[in-house]
Amino acid sequence: MDTMNKQAQPDLLVVDKLVKYFPVRSGLLQRVTAWVQAVDKVSFAVKRGETLGMVGESGCGKTTVGRTLLRLIEPTAGDVYFEGKNVLKMGQRELKPLRRDMQIIFQDPYASLNPRMPIGESVMEGLQIHNIGRPKERWEIAINMLKKVGLEEYHARRYPHEFSGGQRQRIGIARALALNPKFIVCDEPVSALDVSIQSQVLNILKDLQSEFGLTYLFIAHNLSVVEHISDRVAVMYLGKMVELTDRESLYREPLHPYTQALLSAIPIPHPNVKRDRTILKGDVPSPLNPPKGCRFHTRCPIAIDKCSQEEPEFKEIKPGHWVACWKAE
């Protein structure tokens, strides 16, 4: 499916003003004394069959977004619509069948696998929970999924500690695919892998997307990886989304100064070509007490007085190009 066809597809997932605050408790009675504003009014949509990349520094809230929209973490406020149905309004009975359509690949595959369970049984576990097929059929599905990601039938009887990091991530992909989902959150699936293994796993994800018509939310902090796999890219900073557009526009002409700084850090694979670096001063502010106005103004090289007083609206500056920045207007 080419880019034009993906753009014509309807939205599979719509996230509207998603909020997640974590309480900070202290004292003998463990009263709530503050709130960590991990995700604050984040809105975006993912089209059927596309890959939306989500990038940002560690702690910006991108993983929290992925887990909250799947309700692995319960949200504070907002709405998430999957095929027109509000996921956040569903009870457990309604939510269970939806789990088949929305899966996740975790960053640490070893931590997400049961060390006492052969990987064939781990891949079958979701099928058993949803009462799909008989034991023999489940086993055949598990073997088929393992083969899809480059493993063999004899691997199904081995335990997680017998595999390399790249092989474990393949197992995580096979387990997510076993239920034949429509949408997968890829939570930094290659960040812990060697560069050569990263490319193999990324190619597997792209091949599987073509074969099964999958839709991805691809969370990462490596902009080169995101450029390779994504159709559109969303940039987050301190719990807020600051820019969202198609891959070509973002890498050719980024409008937000934070995005420009991130892109300037990507090395150019040529010894005689140097990139003009944008060095950000200071550290990321605490989500316990984020700055007033634009959250990036304390580190922004082009900030004006208005940036510290009023929060910019996340709006469409150009067709399909959304930015939250006063100077971008």
Side-chain angles (χ1 to χ4, degrees):
M1 187 182 292
D2 60 28
T3 303
M4 291 299 293
N5 288 335
K6 288 177 181 178
Q7 289 175 351
Q9 292 293 321
D11 294 334
L12 178 71
L13 180 84
V14 178
V15 179
D16 184 29
K17 296 180 180 178
L18 185 65
V19 177
K20 180 58 186 177
Y21 291 176
F22 292 98
V24 176
R25 302 178 185 275
S26 60
L28 186 64
L29 300 177
Q30 290 294 289
R31 290 194 174 97
V32 177
T33 56
W35 294 90
V36 176
Q37 299 179 28
V39 177
D40 194 8
K41 295 181 181 178
V42 167
S43 300
F44 62 92
V46 186
K47 297 184 182 298
R48 192 181 298 272
E50 81 163 346
T51 299
L52 175 65
M54 185 170 285
V55 299
E57 293 171 287
S58 296
C60 71
K62 53 190 186 294
T63 293
T64 304
V65 168
R67 296 192 178 203
T68 304
L69 63 87
L70 295 177
R71 284 187 64 180
L72 298 179
I73 302 172
E74 289 297 327
T76 303
D79 295 292
V80 176
Y81 297 93
F82 183 80
E83 294 187 321
K85 299 176 182 177
N86 195 332
V87 178
L88 306 186
K89 304 296 184 186
M90 292 181 176
Q92 290 301 318
R93 183 172 294 181
E94 297 174 279
L95 194 59
K96 185 177 179 180
L98 190 68
R99 298 282 189 202
R100 293 179 57 178
D101 292 332
M102 304 173 73
Q103 289 289 305
I104 184 169
I105 301 168
F106 292 99
Q107 178 179 359
D108 184 356
Y110 190 61
S112 63
L113 293 170
N114 188 336
R116 297 179 179 86
M117 185 182 289
I119 61 121
E121 293 183 21
S122 290
V123 174
M124 287 196 304
E125 193 173 18
L127 300 170
Q128 293 170 341
I129 291 170
H130 289 276
N131 297 316
I132 298 173
R134 297 181 178 181
K136 185 178 179 181
E137 294 171 331
R138 294 170 189 162
W139 182 257
E140 290 174 355
I141 292 172
I143 298 303
N144 184 45
M145 289 300 105
L146 289 173
K147 289 181 177 179
K148 291 284 186 188
V149 298
L151 298 175
E152 299 297 333
E153 184 172 352
Y154 64 85
H155 287 126
R157 295 177 176 83
R158 294 185 178 179
Y159 290 85
H161 71 272
E162 300 179 72
F163 295 91
S164 67
Q167 288 176 319
R168 289 175 194 150
Q169 197 57 278
R170 291 169 189 248
I171 296 164
I173 295 170
R175 188 170 60 170
L177 283 172
L179 289 169
N180 193 24
K182 299 175 183 176
F183 173 71
I184 299 179
V185 174
C186 305
D187 184 12
E188 303 200 30
V190 297
S191 63
L193 306 179
D194 294 335
V195 174
S196 59
I197 306 300
Q198 283 185 13
S199 62
Q200 294 175 18
V201 172
L202 290 173
N203 289 333
I204 287 172
L205 289 172
K206 293 186 77 171
D207 291 342
L208 292 171
Q209 184 177 39
S210 299
E211 183 175 351
F212 295 104
L214 297 170
T215 304
Y216 294 143
L217 175 63
F218 191 90
I219 298 168
H221 56 259
N222 187 327
L223 284 158
S224 299
V225 168
V226 170
E227 183 181 15
H228 176 71
I229 198 170
S230 301
D231 299 300
R232 292 188 300 142
V233 182
V235 182
M236 286 192 65
Y237 181 81
L238 201 62
K240 291 277 190 181
M241 193 168 286
V242 297
E243 190 161 3
L244 171 63
T245 187
D246 62 273
R247 176 186 60 200
E248 290 79 10
S249 296
L250 188 95
Y251 284 83
R252 184 182 67 249
E253 191 181 1
L255 297 182
H256 198 281
Y258 177 62
T259 310
Q260 293 167 3
L262 289 179
L263 291 175
S264 75
I266 301 176
I268 297 174
H270 194 287
N272 298 324
V273 179
K274 293 184 178 180
R275 192 189 296 272
D276 292 331
R277 286 293 311 274
T278 301
I279 306 297
L280 298 179
K281 298 179 180 179
D283 296 323
V284 181
S286 171
L288 272 170
N289 186 26
K292 184 182 176 182
C294 175
R295 296 191 175 186
F296 184 60
H297 84 266
T298 57
R299 305 172 71 198
C300 182
I302 60 170
I304 57 177
D305 292 340
K306 190 176 183 180
C307 298
S308 61
Q309 301 300 321
E310 298 179 43
E311 182 179 335
E313 180 186 354
F314 186 66
K315 63 182 182 180
E316 198 170 16
I317 303 294
K318 299 179 180 180
H321 199 147
W322 297 73
V323 187
C325 179
W326 292 119
K327 293 295 287 287
E329 299 177 27

